[in-house]
Amino acid sequence: MSSFEPLVFSGVQPTGNLTLGNYLGAIRKFVALQDTHNCIYCVVDLHALTINPSPQDLIDGRRAIAAAFLASGIDPVKHIVFNQAAVFQHSELAWVFNCIARMGWLNRMTQFKEKAGKDRENASVGLFAYPNLMAADILVYRATHVPVGDDQKQHLELTRDIAQKFNWDYRERTKALDLGVPMEIGDETIDGYFPITEPLIEGPATRIMSLRDGTKKMSKSDPSDLSRINLTDTADDIAKKIRKAKTDPEPLPGDTSGFQGRPEAENLVNIYAALSETSNDAVLQEFGGQQFSVFKPALAELAVEKLAPIADEMRRLMADPGHIDAVLATGGERASALAEKTMVDVRRLVGLTV
Ligand code: TYM
């Protein structure tokens, strides 16, 4: 192989409601990339175990994410849609990476610090090692591109560090077995086994903020449901949440320099720009100088127009869980075949097989 085939991989956790942040920051990009790349999209149910969901919540959550993928327009025939637990090779490679990644690297992960809170001694080992499993999700397919929101940036840097260290540590055997691709590390060219994955984090929607606090990320786990728009919210819910969204008394600025110190205004304009697939500048050209009493109803109308068809299709799909399970099972078989190819090589490279 002289270079890595372009391949997109991404995942979403089946925990809680999917939000507008997940949709605009990730899923909508997944849909767009289907036209130009081979794509693998995963419901990461093993990751969800880190927050100890009830078994039924995990089962329902897995189906809901799969339904959201399909309802948003992901094609499970041309591409691959599956759940992580169906492909044991993710866990196997994660163990290899547990032995590659250093404690110091994981200690720096801000998401772990946020999620573990003050009582770190009591956090699960799974939550700490989570980024290693994430690296395995991506690299078990030797994926080259990963569309995500801004909050996953640090995890993707770690994925690159793990790939680099693996490539360096096993460079001689990779060359001897002729399994690598020439790549530069420092001023040396080696045969590396894993690609150095590129994150795809761009556009106005990489970080959608809470509707109640423009300095906090919109999140599935925020205790206040008013802080987020869920993909399954009704038109009335969406309108109510936007009406109640925190703002300030000033009209919208004429250009983006006027967002200084106005995170809530910036967030609502970002959302409008992302939903209408234009830029913040274009939105401000239309609404600059207007009051929120004008802008909010326009935003609510746009959000309902874009999200209601997805919510309707999700409900239709969720009414037939057998169909969703069958789609995931087929995707799991296809993903397993690809992952096993990588693991045959990895077992040889590290010496677990000859
Ligand atoms: P998760 O399930 O928390 O979120 C799924 C995707 O949604 C993006 N996202 C947002 N984007 C913009 N604004 C927001 N407010 C917002 N909230 C969430 C996330 O960045 C993510 O892209 N660790 C991952 C799942 C994962 C994964 C992977 C992703 C596991 N393995 C391999 C990529 C590749 C996570 O917890 O995402």
Side-chain angles (χ1 to χ4, degrees):
M1 211 199 287
S2 63
S3 64
F4 294 101
E5 290 286 320
L7 177 66
V8 167
F9 179 93
S10 199
V12 178
Q13 284 201 63
T15 45
N17 286 316
L18 271 176
T19 69
L20 183 66
N22 299 127
Y23 177 66
L24 292 176
I27 298 175
R28 205 178 58 168
K29 289 189 208 154
F30 301 176
V31 176
L33 284 161
Q34 298 184 109
D35 294 339
T36 49
H37 288 75
N38 288 325
C39 305
I40 304 180
Y41 296 126
C42 183
V43 184
V44 291
D45 44 12
L46 294 173
H47 276 106
L49 284 181
T50 57
I51 62 155
N52 305 121
S54 77
Q56 195 57 49
D57 282 352
L58 189 54
I59 291 166
D60 294 343
R62 179 166 56 237
R63 288 175 176 150
I65 304 290
F69 283 173
L70 304 180
S72 304
I74 292 173
D75 180 340
V77 177
K78 282 202 190 117
H79 301 275
I80 296 181
V81 174
F82 76 108
N83 66 297
Q84 195 183 21
V87 182
F88 72 85
Q89 288 86 349
H90 289 237
S91 308
E92 188 185 1
L93 185 58
W95 179 257
V96 174
F97 289 168
N98 283 344
C99 303
I100 295 275
R102 309 286 94 185
M103 292 285 287
W105 300 359
L106 292 174
N107 268 328
R108 284 197 286 276
M109 294 295 115
T110 53
Q111 276 219 343
F112 173 72
K113 289 184 203 166
E114 276 163 26
K115 288 195 179 162
K118 288 210 176 70
D119 193 6
R120 263 214 235 176
E121 290 297 305
N122 203 25
S124 73
V125 175
L127 191 66
F128 185 69
Y130 176 118
N132 294 345
L133 177 59
M134 184 164 159
D137 298 338
I138 298 164
L139 294 176
V140 84
Y141 303 100
R142 297 217 267 176
T144 55
H145 295 84
V146 181
V148 281
D150 183 66
D151 61 342
Q152 297 301 315
K153 198 171 178 177
Q154 199 187 28
H155 289 157
L156 290 182
E157 279 160 13
L158 186 92
T159 300
R160 292 161 66 94
D161 290 345
I162 289 174
Q164 287 250 17
K165 181 160 161 56
F166 183 99
N167 289 348
W168 180 257
D169 290 355
Y170 294 101
R171 66 193 181 284
E172 280 161 21
R173 199 158 154 86
T174 303
K175 192 169 174 63
L177 295 176
D178 195 20
L179 291 175
V181 167
M183 58 173 72
E184 280 172 30
I185 293 193
D187 44 20
E188 283 205 51
T189 301
I190 63 157
D191 276 5
Y193 185 72
F194 288 116
I196 308 301
T197 303
E198 288 293 331
L200 299 175
I201 306 174
E202 65 229 358
T206 57
R207 197 169 177 81
I208 301 292
M209 309 308 273
S210 156
L211 298 178
R212 307 299 299 162
D213 177 351
T215 62
K216 262 176 49 189
K217 189 184 75 171
M218 183 181 284
S219 163
K220 308 173 206 176
S221 54
D222 193 309
S224 164
D225 196 54
L226 282 177
S227 71
R228 63 178 161 262
I229 292 173
N230 304 306
L231 231 47
T232 46
D233 279 347
T234 63
D236 285 349
D237 289 335
I238 294 175
K240 180 178 90 186
K241 288 178 180 179
I242 292 178
R243 197 167 59 243
K244 293 194 168 211
K246 186 176 166 202
T247 46
D248 54 43
E250 302 298 317
L252 282 169
D255 62 59
T256 51
S257 63
F259 284 143
Q260 201 68 353
R262 302 183 65 191
E264 284 84 14
E266 180 169 16
N267 187 40
L268 293 183
V269 170
N270 263 338
I271 294 175
Y272 194 102
L275 283 170
S276 58
E277 297 178 61
T278 56
S279 63
N280 285 353
D281 286 318
V283 177
L284 291 180
Q285 257 172 30
E286 192 179 343
F287 290 99
Q290 307 256 30
Q291 299 293 340
F292 282 103
S293 55
V294 176
F295 181 64
K296 280 181 166 182
L299 177 59
E301 195 181 325
L302 178 65
V304 169
E305 179 195 318
K306 298 287 176 180
L307 299 182
I310 299 173
D312 287 348
E313 181 62 7
M314 269 181 81
R315 273 189 279 277
R316 196 187 68 78
L317 288 163
M318 293 287 282
D320 185 358
H323 171 69
I324 299 179
D325 293 347
V327 169
L328 288 175
T330 306
E333 282 168 22
R334 290 167 63 204
S336 289
L338 298 175
E340 180 57 15
K341 265 197 190 156
T342 303
M343 288 314 295
V344 165
D345 292 348
V346 170
R347 291 177 205 123
R348 289 180 76 200
L349 285 174
V350 303
L352 288 168
T353 56
V354 289

